[in-house]
Amino acid sequence: MMERVSFDDSMVAATNELIKKKESFEVTGCGGRLTEAATKVEQLIESQGLRCRIYTYGRVAAAGASFFGGITGVLGVASAVGMAAHNVATFNPDYEIAKHPIDNKLTVKYKKKK
């Protein structure tokens, strides 16, 4: 089970410790500040000399579903191209940060072997 950290003033110390240990964790209670929370976690990861990739959970499936038909098909292709370019730019990250807008949380996964 992943460690959970609440998005509040005490988050920084707990998050820094988990990143030092190269642990995966969740940030809960983000409310309407999901992007702010993702940016803060990104800064904490990068301050330790590590790299990360941020993405919206479920976005790939949504883009794939839109390939069928008209203007949504064009938008789906454009979205997929944009995601591919982002993945190349953030190739082989130490962490992946998934934004879960429905659940108002982040899932922060350490991707490299310890």
Side-chain angles (χ1 to χ4, degrees), residues 7-23:
F7 184 59
D8 56 27
D9 294 335
S10 64
M11 178 192 101
V12 172
T15 303
N16 269 330
E17 197 58 37
L18 290 166
I19 294 167
K20 265 186 214 168
K21 294 178 183 177
K22 296 182 168 72
E23 297 287 335

Side-chain angles (χ1 to χ4, degrees), residues 30-67:
C30 297
R33 303 180 312 164
L34 196 60
T35 299
E36 179 185 340
T39 300
K40 183 64 177 174
V41 172
E42 177 184 29
Q43 290 169 347
L44 294 171
I45 289 169
E46 290 177 347
S47 73
Q48 294 190 32
L50 302 171
R51 296 176 37 183
C52 63
R53 172 185 301 147
I54 300 173
Y55 66 96
T56 302
Y57 182 79
R59 185 173 163 208
V60 171
S66 67
F67 281 147

Side-chain angles (χ1 to χ4, degrees), residues 3 16 24 28 39-40 46 54 65 70 79 81 97 104:
E3 184 84 26
N16 269 330
S24 295
T28 59
T39 300
K40 183 64 177 174
E46 290 177 347
I54 300 173
S79 181
V81 169
I97 303 170
N104 290 314

Side-chain angles (χ1 to χ4, degrees), residues 93-112:
D94 298 288
Y95 275 97
E96 284 186 344
I97 303 170
K99 297 189 291 187
H100 299 262
I102 303 293
D103 301 324
N104 290 314
K105 72 175 185 177
L106 303 175
T107 303
V108 186
K109 290 186 181 177
Y110 186 72
K111 300 301 287 180
K112 296 190 176 182

